[in-house]
Structure formats: structure tokens, C-alpha cells
Amino acid sequence: MPYNEDCDIKLFYPSDDKNGSSEKDILAIAEILDNQRSNGNLLLARKLGEHLASIKPENAGELDGIDLEKEGIDVDKLPSEILYEVRVLMIFTAQITLHSVLPSVLSTEAVNIMYNQMRDKSEAFYDNVMDGTSFSFYYLAIRKGVNVEEAVGKNFAMLCGDEDEEDFIELGKKVYMLTNGYIRELVRNYNFKL
């Protein structure tokens, strides 16, 4: 086989980066991960994700801060399709709140563990959440940034089948606010080294 010069070989540089800064980015990420691992934060994020995987309306009364019954909501009387939407909203709120209160590497780890555990415990629920449109509607409510609780409540009511039903709107608002507060308090209690 004859020798061929390599002058016609093109090198791939991510993001048209010819100065090697993507390599620096990768090294910076590796350093961040190593720091979070060595100070114990990564382990805490994993434990937090495991804990949150079991969050659902049926056990909300056992969680400090999400006592739906105390808010006048009898979970036992809610139809299964409404309980499903409540749980989806709780999971969505957990994810959004984690991303807003923890550094990216820690929130991503906690959310990934939460979803892995959910998939292991209830693959059907996990598949429905991942294939469903609920998160998209909630993201729209969050992105508006104006009267978020009301927007989430209205989207929750719409997903429950009646966007004008005040009881559903109020339920959605309460679930969102209680879950958000619970996650924030939980993160504080985990004592991450930030």
C-alpha cells in the first residue's frame, strides 16, 4: 500500500473550536465533578434523587411540607386519573426546583437518579411521564414567569380535562407550591456544601 500524505484529512473541532477550549471545558467539568464527589455533594445528590423517586400524592402526608389533607384535599377521594396528574406535577416541580436551587452537576445527578429509581419501581408510570405532554405545558407556565402558580394551576386543570374548573386550578396551585417548598426545605436539610 503506497504512503499517502494526511494533508487532506479534516479535523473535527466541536463548535468550530480550533483553539482547544472544548478540551479545557471538559477538564473543567471533570474538575467540578471531582470536587463535588470529594466533598460528598454527589453522594447527597444521589440520596436526594432516591428519596424523591417515591414522591406521590398517596404518601404526601408522610412528607414534611406536602400535607395535602391539611390543605383540605382528600387524596383517597381523587379519581386515579387526577392522582396521576398530581404525581406528574409533583415530579415536574421536584425537577424544576432542584435545577433552580442546586448547581447544575448536582441537580442533574439528583434528577437522573430520581428518574432511574422511578423507572425501576414503576416502568409504566415512568414511560407515561416521559412520553406525555404534561411537562411541556408546565414548562410553558414556568417560562412565562408571570403568576406562575396560577398558570401551573390552569395547565393542571386543562390536563385534568377541564381548564375552567376552579377546584382543579386550586389543586394544581397547591400541589405546585407545596412541592416547591418541600423540595427547597429538603435541599436545605441535606446540607450540601455549596
Side-chain angles (χ1 to χ4, degrees):
M1 176 176 248
Y3 173 76
N4 292 318
E5 268 191 70
D6 295 339
C7 64
D8 63 338
I9 293 176
K10 303 249 188 242
L11 295 176
F12 170 72
Y13 295 99
S15 306
D16 293 328
D17 177 16
K18 295 183 175 133
N19 298 324
S21 67
S22 64
E23 185 177 319
K24 292 176 190 170
D25 292 344
I26 291 169
L27 291 173
I29 292 168
E31 184 179 356
I32 290 168
L33 275 171
D34 191 45
N35 288 339
Q36 296 295 355
R37 187 179 301 107
S38 64
N39 72 14
N41 280 349
L42 215 50
L43 180 61
L44 288 175
R46 289 181 181 132
K47 288 180 180 181
L48 178 59
E50 287 174 11
H51 178 80
L52 292 174
S54 62
I55 193 171
K56 52 182 134 180
E58 296 87 350
N59 71 357
E62 302 163 19
L63 308 171
D64 291 335
I66 309 182
D67 193 346
L68 297 174
E69 231 173 81
K70 189 176 176 182
E71 295 293 320
I73 301 163
D74 188 351
V75 174
D76 295 330
K77 291 186 179 176
L78 292 176
S80 61
E81 62 273 8
I82 304 302
L83 283 173
Y84 169 81
E85 290 300 337
V86 169
R87 185 173 182 200
V88 169
L89 179 53
M90 292 172 91
I91 297 298
F92 171 82
T93 306
Q95 176 180 314
I96 284 294
T97 306
L98 287 173
H99 286 310
S100 71
V101 298
L102 285 174
S104 179
V105 69
L106 297 177
S107 63
T108 300
E109 184 69 15
V111 168
N112 287 342
I113 294 295
M114 178 179 72
Y115 284 129
N116 288 342
Q117 294 282 320
M118 279 174 39
R119 186 183 56 234
D120 292 346
K121 292 177 182 179
S122 177
E123 193 166 347
F125 175 77
Y126 172 82
D127 289 342
N128 282 339
V129 169
M130 293 299 112
D131 292 338
T133 59
S134 299
F135 276 29
S136 298
F137 287 105
Y138 293 134
Y139 277 123
L140 289 173
I142 300 292
R143 285 191 186 124
K144 285 181 183 175
V146 179
N147 205 354
V148 172
E149 294 87 3
E150 185 72 24
V152 167
K154 286 185 179 198
N155 285 351
F156 174 83
M158 186 255 322
L159 291 164
C160 289
D162 189 350
E163 63 185 292
D164 297 320
E165 175 59 51
E166 275 302 316
D167 289 343
F168 287 157
I169 294 171
E170 283 304 308
L171 176 58
K173 286 167 53 176
K174 286 179 182 178
V175 168
Y176 174 75
M177 291 186 298
L178 290 170
T179 305
N180 183 297
Y182 171 71
I183 302 301
R184 288 175 183 277
E185 185 63 29
L186 194 59
V187 167
R188 278 192 289 276
N189 292 338
Y190 267 73
N191 295 317
F192 286 95
K193 294 172 186 78
L194 302 175

